[in-house]
Amino acid sequence: MTKRMSLAEVIPAGYAAVAELEKYGRANVEPTVLHLIKIRASVLNGCAFCIDMHTTEALADGENQRRLFAVAAWREAEDFFTAKERAALALTDAVTKVEVSDEVWAEAAKEWSEEEVANLIIAIGTINVWNRIVISTRQPPPPLA
């Protein structure tokens, strides 16, 4: 795969704007949940670069490998995730696919405050923006060591 361009080089102000969204999400969503959101959206979008980056970060932060592997099939790994994490993962699926049902919304609202749901939506939207930037510009993950 040949890299097409670097948005950071071509439009630094646009790239910086997305980085500010990222900064906001990191400051307002619990790190463990943020890792799960980023990994799940990246799996759905098929973004190898982001899957590699966010699983590596999650492992460095002490996340369990089995939980990370289970993100791909989180609905079947019920005991691996808390009710709040499952609600965040369901919201990630729905927002990423732009199919937010009343049922998914109600579950998120039951587990999270209104402000927390708003912050989750910003974080989910941001990883989806990053996925689309990385996939469209063909950013490969770093080589295996």
Side-chain angles (χ1 to χ4, degrees):
M1 175 183 341
T2 304
K3 182 176 169 180
R4 291 179 172 153
M5 74 166 66
S6 166
L7 265 63
E9 294 171 9
V10 177
I11 53 164
Y15 190 87
V18 178
E20 284 300 312
L21 279 173
E22 176 69 28
K23 186 176 173 182
Y24 179 88
R26 286 180 186 260
N28 291 285
V29 176
E30 177 187 332
T32 299
V33 173
L34 188 59
H35 288 311
L36 296 176
I37 286 170
K38 290 179 177 189
I39 294 163
R40 181 60 185 167
S42 298
V43 166
L44 292 172
N45 290 323
C47 185
F49 180 94
C50 292
I51 293 168
D52 177 68
M53 174 191 292
H54 299 302
T55 55
T56 299
E57 288 175 353
L59 288 169
D61 286 348
E63 181 59 82
N64 180 285
Q65 288 179 350
R66 291 182 66 207
R67 279 174 37 99
L68 294 181
F69 298 146
V71 166
W74 69 269
R75 292 181 193 278
E76 287 74 34
E78 193 169 315
D79 294 339
F80 283 36
F81 304 102
T82 67
K84 284 183 84 164
E85 290 169 340
R86 293 176 63 74
L89 288 165
L91 190 62
T92 300
D93 285 5
V95 172
T96 298
K97 296 174 186 176
V98 194
E99 298 172 352
V100 184
S101 68
D102 289 341
E103 179 181 276
V104 168
W105 187 266
E107 188 63 27
K110 179 178 126 188
E111 296 295 336
W112 300 89
S113 73
E114 185 175 48
E115 182 177 345
E116 288 171 325
V117 171
N119 285 328
L120 289 172
I121 291 170
I122 291 291
I124 295 163
T126 303
I127 187 57
N128 276 283
V129 169
W130 284 124
N131 289 165
R132 280 144 181 80
I133 289 170
V134 170
I135 291 168
S136 63
T137 59
R138 293 188 175 164
Q139 306 297 310
L144 293 173

